[in-house]
Amino acid sequence: TTTTTTTTVAATTTLLMSGEIEGGVLVQGRKSMNRAMSGDVVVLQLLPRSKWRSPSTLLAAVGEVDTAEGNDDGGGGSGDEGDDGDGAAAAPTTSTTTTSAKQREKELVGKSAPHAATVVPTAKVVAILKRSWKPYVGSILSPKGNIDSAKSVLFEPRDRTLPRVRIRTRQARRLLGRRVVVVVDAWPRNSRYPVGHYVKTVGSGSGGVDDPTTETDALLLQYDVPCHPFGEAVLGCLPTMPWRLEDEDDVPRRVDIRKSHVVCSVDPPGCTDIDDALHLRGPLFGDEALPFSSTTTTAALPSAAQPGEKVEVYEIGVHIADVTHFVKPNTAIDDEARNRSTTVYLVDRRIDMLPDLLSGNLCSLRGNEDRLAFSCFWKIQLRRPLQEGEDENATAADLQFCDDERSKMSVDIIDVTFKKTVICSKRAFTYEQAQNLIDDRTQQSDLARNLRVMLLISKIFRADRIAKGSLVLASAEVRFVRPSDESATAPRDVELYVARDTNAMVEEYMLLANVSV
């Protein structure tokens, strides 16, 4: 059996079987697809090797055939190969356009890519074990004839891997130009299209296919993003307000670093769900520079500086909001979070995984507010060359380094430990604000000096990671510029997202925390 992903003309499948066939299997054309749809569990019969094909030409030409099929009449049933199964006789397929589309499809199905290096295993569907039908989002195609007299129309899903669906409705005029939800009921053997029925219209008012709010709602439906309001059972799991740190039973067992550590967060502008923060202490001397525990077997003692270099030991920490303190296993809120899996960010809205009381408040490490966290602490040794004329009391925070000087530096993790903590972030920075503070050498606050050293050490970690073959997937990103009027739904512009050194800094420490765990 296999799960198949289909298009109107070609399907790519993953064959779940042992033996000589591994990887993808190609299913070509409607006849071979045998009324299978995207996500169906099917049984395939592998074709002889002489009939194996390359998918590249077919995939490139799918739109060509679909365009030709767009001339099929949705009102009278033209395009079905016989009775469409809904009681309305299908008109004979005699139009020149429809016939030429079928001929073109047959030509494409019989061809391989002219420049293909190899062909792939090719098969046909011989049975459908399990249908994956669900509500589909799309729009109604305008029929050729009188729309008011049309007994059925064609529905085109937004997902182009799905076939069109014939639905019977007397609301065609009202539904034209709107986003609608349709459910497939059956796919008769003698029908070119599956048949289904209209469920509901997406959006409200006059919002059509070009309305941003309607399109966003359609996307959420298309990709099964849970966006319903949180139920009473979920809300009943939330702590009562006003919340007080002193009322939490486990606070005495946590490490309280509110006064001893300068913690801050660095996030995108407008971020309200601040789930991570950073701190730096140092340089450390004496016992503070030693491993966290004498029983730690993986720890290493700081090494002595060689002539012409200096060794500095720092404590750096990553603090993650302790969501598990509020979300207990196997509760209604835990089940809901599992179902949602993640917070979804869209242009005009955010679909939270957890209620806003947690995601935007109690589990958000906001500035100057006490919060519960799970923290990773490192003792890190920075080995760097002495600069000419450097003051003997100078530290990395006092100096500026060129790329050549930084390439001669090294960092080593002396020790790592994990603690449940109580923190109080001193400030919630944006990436731009943190970068400006680092670059302005007149700024000598604890936050400014700490950020400079954290950035320096992160660059050394990053260079070492990339030198060892780490994969870099960075690419240009765009961001939507929202209008100042909060009631407006459409963005007013699109611009390239400017990635700063502070972006990479946060990324590096998050990666390091994951590796350390």
Side-chain angles (χ1 to χ4, degrees), residues 457-467 470 472 474 504 507-508 511:
I457 291 175
S458 73
K459 287 184 175 181
I460 301 171
F461 271 123
R462 182 179 180 85
D464 184 58
R465 180 170 56 84
I466 293 174
S470 178
V472 178
E507 175 187 348
E508 205 59 38
L511 286 173

Side-chain angles (χ1 to χ4, degrees), residues 63-74 97-98 101 141-144 154 156 164 192-193:
E64 178 184 349
V65 175
D66 283 346
T67 300
E69 288 173 353
N71 293 320
D72 288 350
D73 181 18
T97 304
T98 304
L141 297 179
S142 179
K144 276 187 176 181
L154 286 180
E156 185 169 65
R164 292 168 178 170
R192 184 181 184 88
Y193 304 111

